[in-house]
Amino acid sequence: MEFKYDSNNIFAKILKKEIPNETVFETKHSLAFKDINPAAPIHILVIPKGPYINYDHFVSQATNEEIIDFNKTIIQVIKNEKLDPERNGNGYRLIANTGLNGVQEVPHLHFHILGGRNMGFMVSR
Ligand code: AMP
């Protein structure tokens, strides 16, 4: 499978520091920052620093170190925001919109962490 990464996408520009972002957490391989147009009181995006379009691209081509770092970053942000039910948080929604039907706007892998309110039905019907 060939994945064609657009190195001019908006998150690539954030990683190149060409445009600003509100970073909440950062590791060697991952960056977490506030969504510019929040859909919930807490709306954070977590991206790998490497050039991956989607989760398939990432899991098939990233190193194990990158994959572990990214997944642990997501959970660390959830814990930092006190959203995890195991520690009395009220829960959250984790979303990775992918491709056309997933309505992915930015072609760089990102997970949305949404919380701070009841997120309602999973998708519009
Ligand atoms: P998606 O439809 O999953 O690709 O969502 C892309 C998300 O990126 C949207 O929720 C946008 O509000 C968000 N977004 C776009 N540009 C920026 C930016 N410069 N900084 C932070 N979030 C952004």
Side-chain angles (χ1 to χ4, degrees), residues 11 33-37 45 97 103-106 110 112:
F11 295 167
F33 54 96
K34 291 188 181 175
D35 194 293
I36 204 166
N37 187 20
L45 302 173
N97 296 321
V103 194
Q104 179 178 6
E105 292 168 18
V106 181
H110 52 284
H112 298 252

Side-chain angles (χ1 to χ4, degrees), residues 2 15 20 32 40 53 55 57 71 73 78 92 99-100 116:
E2 200 187 335
L15 288 167
I53 298 173
Y55 205 48
H57 190 191
N71 282 288
T73 295
I78 285 164
Y92 54 91
L100 213 55

Side-chain angles (χ1 to χ4, degrees), residues 40-43 81 83 90-93 114-119:
I42 296 169
H43 188 170
E81 299 296 327
L83 295 172
N90 284 328
Y92 54 91
R93 186 161 292 159
L114 294 146
R117 70 167 170 85
N118 184 301
M119 298 308 304

Side-chain angles (χ1 to χ4, degrees), residues 36-84:
I36 204 166
N37 187 20
I42 296 169
H43 188 170
I44 293 166
L45 302 173
V46 184
I47 66 173
K49 290 184 177 175
Y52 305 106
I53 298 173
N54 57 33
Y55 205 48
D56 182 6
H57 190 191
F58 181 64
V59 170
S60 51
Q61 296 189 10
T63 64
N64 286 349
E65 187 181 326
E66 288 176 289
I67 293 169
I68 290 168
D69 182 292
F70 182 66
N71 282 288
K72 284 186 180 279
T73 295
I74 291 170
I75 290 301
Q76 190 59 54
V77 171
I78 285 164
K79 287 179 178 166
N80 291 352
E81 299 296 327
K82 302 187 177 15
L83 295 172
D84 51 323

